[in-house]
């Protein structure tokens, strides 16, 4: 991508998310005090999609160093910090990062925030983190930058560290419709799951595991079928997919 175009997009993205914070978008709303107190007591989950938690078996041990990319908003970061992780949240939006700071301050949580462009993680030394997560972000990044981003993630992960990556699934027609009709996604280009696996493999990640999620609406006639989704995790038709990969 042309550097000028990249800067224009970063500026647009920053302003858009700052606006979403002001308008009260659900992905900008900090978690409640009850959620934080529950996490301190060991009752928590990591939610990186509209309604599906990361499988508990994928978590790194408490006390691990965690990097959340484009993950501001006072949600995942504070929950992980309350659960005993050393958390750094990296985001392009100052307003989103302010949400994390607000929750961390209110609950005396150890949490670091860094504003920047995800394509450049040079602020972090090699092998700094045990876990990195990135959710529904790469479709906003030019395909020419994907390999470089994953190489940077690989670099900052410790040996044996884990990457959790979530993306929209272009094989799902409802997902395609929602993305095509969303103003915020007007420049988005969805990543097929095979493409994502290939770039993970080319970056030398190992133990690559994937699941497909969000097959049915969470309300209405088909809501009763949600409990079947774990049995459909192999079927590449869910609204989103998730990957876990190990350095």
């Amino acid at each position: 991508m042309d550097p000028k175009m990249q800067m224009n997009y970063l500026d647009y993205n920053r302003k858009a998310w700052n606006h979403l914070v002001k308008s009260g978008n659900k992905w900008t709303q900090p978690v409640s005090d009850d959620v934080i107190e529950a996490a301190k007591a060991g009752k928590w989950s990591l939610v990186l999609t509209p309604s599906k938690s990361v499988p508990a078996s994928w978590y790194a041990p408490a006390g691990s160093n965690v990097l959340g990319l484009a993950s501001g908003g006072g949600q995942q970061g504070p929950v992980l910090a309350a659960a005993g992780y050393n958390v750094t949240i990296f985001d392009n939006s100052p307003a989103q990062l302010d949400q994390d700071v607000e929750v961390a301050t209110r609950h005396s949580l150890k949490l670091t925030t860094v504003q920047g462009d995800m394509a450049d993680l040079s602020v972090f030394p090699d092998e700094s983190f045990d876990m990195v997560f990135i959710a529904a972000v790469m479709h906003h990044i030019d395909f020419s930058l994907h390999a470089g981003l994953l190489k940077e993630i690989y670099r900052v992960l410790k040996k044996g560290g884990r990457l959790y990556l979530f993306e929209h699934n272009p094989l799902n027609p409802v997902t395609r419709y929602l993305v095509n009709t969303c103003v915020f996604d007007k420049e988005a280009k969805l990543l097929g799951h095979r493409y994502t696996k290939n770039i993970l493999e080319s970056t030398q990640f190992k133990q690559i595991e994937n699941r497909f999620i969000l097959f049915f609406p969470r309300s209405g006639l088909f809501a009763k079928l949600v409990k079947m989704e774990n049995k459909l995790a192999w079927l590449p038709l869910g609204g989103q997919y998730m990957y876990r990969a190990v350095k």
Side-chain angles (χ1 to χ4, degrees):
M1 177 183 283
D2 181 270
K4 186 175 181 179
M5 290 179 62
Q6 175 68 2
M7 288 304 297
N8 288 341
Y9 173 74
L10 287 172
D11 184 60
Y12 169 80
N13 177 275
R14 183 183 307 112
K15 290 177 179 177
W17 277 104
N18 288 346
H19 174 73
L20 288 173
V21 171
K22 291 182 179 180
S23 63
N25 178 275
K26 73 174 184 177
W27 290 109
T28 72
Q29 294 299 297
V31 294
S32 68
D33 292 346
D34 289 343
V35 169
I36 296 298
E37 292 306 316
K40 289 180 178 180
K43 299 177 181 179
W44 63 281
S45 62
L46 182 59
V47 179
L48 298 176
T49 71
S51 58
K52 189 73 174 179
S53 301
V54 175
S57 61
W58 287 12
Y59 297 143
S64 299
N65 296 331
V66 177
L67 173 63
L69 294 175
S71 299
Q75 299 180 7
Q76 299 96 350
V79 169
L80 286 166
Y85 291 85
N86 302 312
V87 181
T88 300
I89 297 297
F90 190 90
D91 202 291
N92 185 36
S93 165
Q96 279 282 77
L97 292 174
D98 286 346
Q99 303 292 65
D100 289 284
V101 171
E102 189 273 329
V103 178
T105 301
R106 190 167 72 244
H107 291 276
S108 301
L109 302 175
K110 183 180 179 182
L111 186 150
T112 301
T113 60
V114 180
Q115 183 188 348
D117 174 9
M118 220 173 30
D120 179 9
L121 301 181
S122 59
V123 66
F124 303 118
D126 294 356
E127 300 191 351
S128 299
F129 299 99
D130 302 285
M131 184 170 87
V132 175
F133 62 88
I134 175 172
V137 173
M138 290 187 66
H139 59 274
H140 289 294
I141 299 174
D142 192 86
F143 273 53
S144 65
L145 301 176
H146 288 167
L149 171 60
L150 285 175
K151 286 179 181 178
E152 275 291 273
I153 292 173
Y154 190 90
R155 178 185 66 79
V156 302
L157 274 171
K158 297 178 182 179
K159 185 175 181 180
R162 308 170 188 186
L163 165 65
Y164 305 124
L165 187 155
F166 289 66
E167 270 301 330
H168 298 324
N169 183 11
L171 295 180
N172 183 287
V174 176
T175 293
R176 291 200 308 272
Y177 171 79
L178 292 173
V179 170
N180 289 337
T181 56
C182 177
V183 174
F184 189 70
D185 286 333
K186 65 179 181 179
E187 302 296 335
K189 294 183 180 180
L190 299 184
L191 292 64
H193 69 278
R194 292 189 181 90
Y195 167 84
T196 302
K197 183 178 181 182
N198 287 339
I199 58 175
L200 287 170
E201 290 177 337
S202 67
T203 315
Q204 308 300 316
F205 279 102
K206 308 295 183 185
Q207 299 178 40
I208 298 171
E209 178 182 347
N210 81 309
R211 298 185 185 188
F212 296 92
I213 58 175
L214 304 181
F215 288 85
F216 305 110
R218 268 41 193 173
S219 60
L221 180 63
F222 295 101
K224 294 180 180 180
L225 298 177
V226 170
K227 60 184 179 183
M228 297 175 54
E229 288 191 345
N230 287 337
K231 295 181 180 180
L232 298 174
W234 60 272
L235 185 65
L237 295 177
Q240 292 185 326
Y241 60 84
M242 61 175 84
Y243 272 100
R244 185 196 74 164
V246 180
K247 179 175 178 178

